[in-house]
Amino acid sequence: MILVTTAGKIGAEASRLLAQRGAPVRVLVRNPEKVTGLVHAGVDVCQGDLEVPATIDAAMQNVTSVVLVSPAIPRQELNVIASAVRARVQHVVKIMSKASADSPIARRRGQFEIEQGLIASGLGYTLLKNNAYMQNFLMMARAIAETSSFGTATGDGRIGHVDTRDIAAVAAAIAASPSAHMGKTYWPTGPEVLSATEVAAVFSRVLGRTITFHSITVAQQKQGMLDVGLPENVAEDNANAVALMAKGDCDYVTGDVATILGQPPRSFEQFATDYAAAFSRQLVKG
Ligand SMILES: NC(=O)c1ccc[n+]([C@@H]2O[C@H](COP(=O)([O-])OP(=O)(O)OC[C@H]3O[C@@H](n4cnc5c(N)ncnc54)[C@H](OP(=O)(O)O)[C@@H]3O)[C@@H](O)[C@H]2O)c1
């Protein structure tokens, strides 16, 4: 049995892909009513909370492999690692970003703490240190739909955006067959680096109308994220990450997705095409 620790963007897709390939898969969720589609796809849904170790232990029964993905609060992910040790799990795929003890971004310091806990646990592991997600643009979907423009503080910084569906596919492939990936770190990215101006050009081409980009300050970027409902600490972290992106922090691509999946990662054009409805005026309600 493979346990996926949440059913967000990556966890839901990884669970669906694992069920599709016939692997026994369970997902831990706080609210099963939100994931009835996964039940229909053949995923075993287990109610729990990463804050409550007993519920993680219940979900961990008969599990050999874990896809560890969550908002990455160290206490919660260390709860999962401790439970996996108790259950003698063989392998953990850890979804993460860049991580270091001295990062200016609190989340990256937390990711480092989790990474160290996982390595010290003695469990088999694979680390996926992902570049920025294309799906982050969905936070700006309404603005793009209504104003045909978006603001970002990334300036001229180029980013190797990666589609979360590809991260999910990589995680699923590794969890289903971990032996070749034990102890390895991968740096999944999309196929190209794009500046905000280049992203606007892709949106214009795909959506059939001109989409423009305007520079905003890091403080304005943070306010924009608060406005779409992100918690203060997450908005603060994301804004700090955006400030680093402007300085080239995400300006790289790797061949890791293609190496693991045997096919290239989705392009930004593919992402914009698949999610075109979310960025389109006539479909915005209310
Ligand atoms: N965004 C980026 O550009 C980026 C780049 C690199 C790496 N990452 C990493 O990607 C990871 C996030 O993955 P994601 O985008 O798939 O996450 P996501 O879509 O934000 O989903 C998070 C999920 O966690 C669940 N959750 C939250 N607290 C929980 C708890 N206490 N117990 C059980 N479930 C809980 C939420 O469920 P509810 O529905 O119950 O709230 C939600 O389904 C993080 O580690 C982040 O650092 C992000």
Side-chain angles (χ1 to χ4, degrees):
M1 177 66 77
I2 296 168
L3 175 66
V4 181
T5 56
T6 58
K9 293 183 291 299
I10 291 166
E13 177 70 357
S15 304
R16 197 185 62 73
L17 290 172
L18 283 162
Q20 197 177 61
R21 61 161 74 199
V25 55
R26 181 179 296 146
V27 66
L28 181 148
V29 295
R30 291 190 285 199
N31 185 353
E33 283 163 21
K34 282 190 184 174
V35 295
T36 48
L38 290 180
V39 177
H40 293 133
V43 177
D44 179 19
V45 173
C46 184
Q47 185 168 24
D49 189 321
L50 300 180
E51 284 290 347
V52 186
T55 66
I56 305 172
D57 284 347
M60 200 66 76
Q61 284 187 26
N62 302 321
V63 166
T64 53
S65 220
V66 172
V67 176
L68 179 51
V69 56
S70 81
I73 294 166
R75 181 183 61 249
Q76 296 183 357
E77 292 209 1
L78 293 171
N79 280 344
V80 175
I81 292 165
S83 175
V85 169
R86 284 193 289 278
R88 296 191 170 78
V89 163
Q90 288 158 18
H91 183 261
V92 176
V93 188
K94 161 73 179 125
I95 304 295
M96 59 189 297
S97 54
K98 283 184 180 174
S100 64
D102 59 355
S103 173
I105 302 169
R107 186 172 50 232
R108 292 187 181 181
R109 297 194 298 275
Q111 293 281 23
F112 181 76
E113 188 183 339
I114 298 161
E115 173 187 313
Q116 294 306 299
L118 178 57
I119 293 169
S121 72
L123 294 164
Y125 67 87
T126 305
L127 307 178
L128 299 185
K129 297 193 174 182
N130 308 315
N131 209 326
Y133 297 161
M134 293 176 187
Q135 276 75 2
N136 294 342
F137 278 88
L138 293 172
M139 280 188 277
M140 296 184 274
R142 193 179 183 100
I144 292 172
E146 290 179 348
T147 67
S148 289
S149 76
F150 64 93
T152 167
T154 53
D156 294 329
R158 285 199 158 88
I159 299 165
H161 310 96
V162 62
D163 194 307
T164 54
R165 293 171 295 177
D166 287 324
I167 302 299
V170 166
I174 295 174
S177 222
S179 55
H181 307 287
M182 288 281 183
K184 292 196 175 161
T185 297
Y186 297 107
W187 295 86
T189 71
E192 65 202 332
V193 288
L194 295 175
S195 66
T197 305
E198 290 162 335
V199 163
V202 175
F203 273 130
S204 300
R205 203 161 56 239
V206 169
L207 300 177
R209 63 185 202 275
T210 301
I211 306 295
T212 56
F213 131 78
H214 55 277
S215 265
I216 57 174
T217 64
V218 171
Q220 287 170 321
Q221 182 104 44
K222 179 178 168 184
Q223 189 56 49
M225 288 186 271
L226 291 172
D227 291 346
V228 295
L230 263 62
E232 159 75 28
N233 63 323
V234 177
E236 172 76 18
D237 266 8
N238 289 352
N240 288 337
V242 165
L244 288 183
M245 287 174 192
K247 296 180 186 155
D249 186 57
C250 292
D251 188 354
Y252 64 93
V253 291
T254 70
D256 286 354
V257 171
T259 302
I260 294 163
L261 297 183
Q263 60 186 49
R266 291 171 172 88
S267 63
F268 200 91
E269 179 149 352
Q270 186 66 55
F271 162 77
T273 302
D274 293 345
Y275 290 82
F279 298 107
S280 299
R281 272 174 290 205
Q282 63 275 24
L283 293 165
V284 173
K285 298 195 185 90

